[in-house]
Amino acid sequence: PSGKYGTTTGASSESECLLAPYGFYANGNHSYPCPEGTYQDEKGQLNCKNCLPGKYGESSKLASESCSGLCPPGTQSSIRAASCTPCEVGKFNALEGQEICQKCGPDKTSMEGTRSCVCIEGYYLNKNGTCALCLNGANCSGIGNTIRNLRLKDSFWRATDDSENIYPCPHIGACKLQNASNTTNITNATCVPGNEGIMCAICSKGYFRLSSSNACAKCGDATTSVIFLIVGILLATIGLLIVLIFNSRG
């Protein structure tokens, strides 16, 4: 009979037949293991049961309704699935055991097989948790930009890694390209060495500013000495010319 099978040739009664064990089914002549994506948690059954959506059965002979378990976040599965399918690009699943992946919201996308969405290129995740257009002075190339990992363009500055106020540096070469990720106080982190403070406007100890528009230079640098020498020669030349002109007129 269905759900049972016989191992003895010429059996004279049903009692000589065996029940199909857990994880198997029988058609009267033989017992067979339940294939991948199915299970059987009862003895003596003619068919196997399907693993439900959100679950998967990666091996045969499964004997529990849980099959091989729930599909992890970032994946999905349909009925009788032998494995979980990663969510495609632009979709996600934050929870385990899901039948379908969810679409990312406006201005968001995702990588394949992820549990959450991120902002698309040209946008960043602001303090309110929404994707906003990139700030002036920031670099939002690539996806997944947030207020905390926001990179600054050259010659721009901000005080902290959660600040949305970005300022152009007033001194040429004082500020540098900066990825402020995992930095809570970046007042000096965005400054070229020798420059510090708000907008990198203060010279560090041992540095000086040659002009109001330039970055600070190290005291005693050979380059600085050459500059001073050239400036001195120019001033001396100009002074000499002025003297000569006055003398010629006299």
Side-chain angles (χ1 to χ4, degrees), residues 11 23 25 46-47 54 56 64 72 78 81 89-90 106 140 143 145 165 173 213 238:
Y25 69 99
L46 177 62
N47 299 300
Y56 68 104
S64 170
S78 57
V89 173
C140 293
I143 65 173
N145 295 295
N165 298 316
S213 61
I238 292 171

Side-chain angles (χ1 to χ4, degrees), residues 58-215:
E58 64 180 353
S59 61
S60 61
K61 306 178 186 178
L62 294 175
S64 170
E65 183 182 7
S66 62
C67 292
S68 296
L70 296 173
C71 287
T75 65
Q76 63 181 14
S77 71
S78 57
I79 193 169
R80 201 187 173 101
S83 61
C84 303
T85 304
C87 294
E88 60 189 71
V89 173
K91 294 184 178 181
F92 75 103
N93 256 335
L95 304 175
E96 62 181 2
Q98 300 301 302
E99 181 178 6
I100 58 173
C101 297
Q102 307 300 313
K103 289 184 178 181
C104 295
D107 304 323
K108 290 187 176 183
T109 187
S110 69
M111 301 292 285
E112 182 182 70
T114 54
R115 62 174 64 197
S116 61
C117 298
V118 296
C119 296
I120 60 175
E121 185 171 11
Y123 286 73
Y124 76 100
L125 190 69
N126 61 21
K127 294 179 181 180
N128 298 323
T130 58
C131 294
L133 278 170
C134 196
L135 296 167
N136 182 42
N139 177 5
C140 293
S141 59
I143 65 173
N145 295 295
T146 69
I147 184 62
R148 289 193 176 276
N149 70 12
L150 204 58
R151 292 162 293 167
L152 303 185
K153 294 180 179 178
D154 194 16
S155 297
F156 282 87
W157 177 92
R158 64 174 177 164
T160 62
D161 68 350
D162 63 352
S163 174
E164 294 180 325
N165 298 316
I166 299 176
Y167 304 96
C169 278
H171 304 290
I172 300 172
C175 299
K176 63 182 178 180
L177 289 169
Q178 175 68 28
N179 184 345
S181 179
N182 300 322
T183 308
T184 56
N185 187 344
I186 59 172
T187 299
N188 296 329
T190 54
C191 299
V192 171
N195 302 265
E196 60 184 66
I198 297 175
M199 291 190 284
C200 307
I202 301 173
C203 290
S204 304
K205 185 177 180 180
Y207 287 76
F208 75 102
R209 196 181 308 283
L210 184 61
S211 70
S212 60
S213 61
N214 292 328

